[in-house]
Amino acid sequence: MWQWAQGLARACRHGRAYPAIYNDQIEEEQEMVCLEPMGSERMEMRKRQMSVQQESAAGGTAPAQQGQLGQANPVRGTNACCFCWCCCCSCSWNEDRDERSRKVSYDFKEGTTDCEDCPKPTLEEVCSWGQSFDKLMCSPAGRNSFRQFLRTEFSEENMLFWLACDEFRKETNKSVIEEKARVVYEDYISILSPKEVSLDSRVRESINRNMQEPNLHTFDDAQLQIYTLMQRDSYPRYMNSPAYKNLLNTLSEQSPES
């Protein structure tokens, strides 16, 4: 055991491995133990400290060099992505396209954002609205009244889409048809739009195909489907609503015949 202790001491001084014996077992169970001398540990710690000091001293010049690189190669700021079918907003081409879209969208929606300007309806006109949905939609005052009712049911986008399609078909300038078609698509067809209208898959797929080369009839099927939806679903409720009945009663009281 004394010889083993002396050998272990020599191994510690020279940093060598030495076999270890446990519990004086008859069957020698040996394990190679590698011991690091204390002097070597202190040297490693000293090297780390020196390297940290050197990095700290060199760090003073790094910001200046980065500043020079930043002046030589200015980096253009980027915006967050749109999460839509278009590319990143930082693209200059996309920024120009968005600017054109805003101009087209403003010109296009100027007549449909607010209710239409029209004279006050007569009693006879309001009574005709109850005869058919077509007569209601042919009357500017009828469309305004019906649109206000749809707003209370959170389905005003159906009327807005119908009006947008009606306005789109009147476009005669072929150079802006594609831009206006894209505005209608993004506002009412895209699944990312808060004003998306409810269309079946057949009509939606047809529009997606037609958007490759849009024309004045790109949204005809969709407009007809929304028209039918309003006629079957919203129109009967409007005729029984307090809005229509109050308007009818007010005009009846103001009529000279009454």
Side-chain angles (χ1 to χ4, degrees):
M1 177 63 71
W2 174 249
Q3 293 178 352
W4 179 83
Q6 289 179 339
L8 180 60
R10 286 194 298 271
C12 289
R13 287 195 297 271
H14 294 88
R16 296 196 302 269
Y18 195 79
I21 302 176
Y22 302 102
N23 297 328
D24 294 332
Q25 295 177 355
I26 298 176
E27 295 179 5
E28 294 185 356
E29 227 178 282
Q30 296 186 349
E31 178 182 352
M32 300 303 290
V33 180
C34 183
L35 301 175
E36 184 76 7
M38 294 298 294
S40 178
E41 290 180 357
R42 287 195 293 268
M43 288 295 295
E44 285 295 329
M45 292 177 63
R46 181 60 181 165
K47 288 179 182 179
R48 293 194 194 100
Q49 292 175 355
M50 291 177 64
S51 63
V52 170
Q53 292 176 357
Q54 291 176 357
E55 291 176 0
S56 300
T61 58
Q65 294 176 355
Q66 292 177 358
Q68 293 176 359
L69 290 175
Q71 293 176 358
N73 299 312
V75 180
R76 179 186 176 187
T78 58
N79 299 326
C81 288
C82 298
F83 295 105
C84 62
W85 58 273
C86 60
C87 59
C88 185
C89 296
S90 60
C91 177
S92 59
W93 179 87
N94 202 44
E95 290 175 353
D96 295 339
R97 191 197 67 177
D98 289 344
E99 183 64 25
R100 294 195 307 269
S101 299
R102 281 192 292 268
K103 293 179 181 179
V104 173
S105 179
Y106 175 79
D107 295 339
F108 185 44
K109 293 191 247 182
E110 186 176 9
T112 58
T113 301
D114 299 324
C115 291
E116 303 171 70
D117 294 331
C118 60
K120 185 178 178 179
T122 62
L123 177 61
E124 181 181 2
E125 184 179 4
V126 173
C127 290
S128 68
W129 299 349
Q131 297 175 6
S132 69
F133 184 63
D134 293 340
K135 291 185 177 181
L136 172 69
M137 293 295 285
C138 288
S139 168
R143 290 193 297 267
N144 284 345
S145 180
F146 185 54
R147 177 177 169 181
Q148 291 173 358
F149 169 76
L150 293 177
R151 189 176 301 166
T152 63
E153 292 198 334
F154 304 99
S155 58
E156 185 185 10
E157 66 276 1
N158 291 332
M159 176 63 78
L160 292 175
F161 174 67
W162 188 88
L163 292 172
C165 292
D166 200 52
E167 188 71 20
F168 173 71
R169 281 206 310 271
K170 299 176 183 178
E171 180 59 52
T172 57
N173 189 351
K174 295 182 179 181
S175 61
V176 298
I177 288 179
E178 183 176 355
E179 287 290 342
K180 287 191 173 184
R182 192 177 61 80
V183 170
V184 174
Y185 183 92
E186 291 180 351
D187 284 347
Y188 303 106
I189 308 300
S190 172
I191 59 175
L192 300 177
S193 173
K195 296 183 293 184
E196 178 195 6
V197 294
S198 178
L199 299 172
D200 60 34
S201 58
R202 178 189 63 82
V203 173
R204 190 175 292 276
E205 290 174 1
S206 176
I207 292 176
N208 289 334
R209 289 194 302 269
N210 293 335
M211 282 300 295
Q212 296 178 2
E213 295 181 3
N215 54 64
L216 295 179
H217 303 287
T218 297
F219 304 105
D220 285 358
D221 291 342
Q223 185 185 24
L224 178 60
Q225 189 170 102
I226 294 301
Y227 186 91
T228 304
L229 175 64
M230 292 189 294
Q231 182 179 16
R232 293 178 178 177
D233 185 50
S234 303
Y235 174 65
R237 291 198 299 273
Y238 169 71
M239 297 309 301
N240 294 319
S241 69
Y244 177 73
K245 292 180 178 179
N246 291 340
L247 177 61
L248 191 62
N249 292 334
T250 302
L251 294 176
S252 298
E253 293 174 359
Q254 297 174 357
S255 175
E257 297 179 357
S258 62

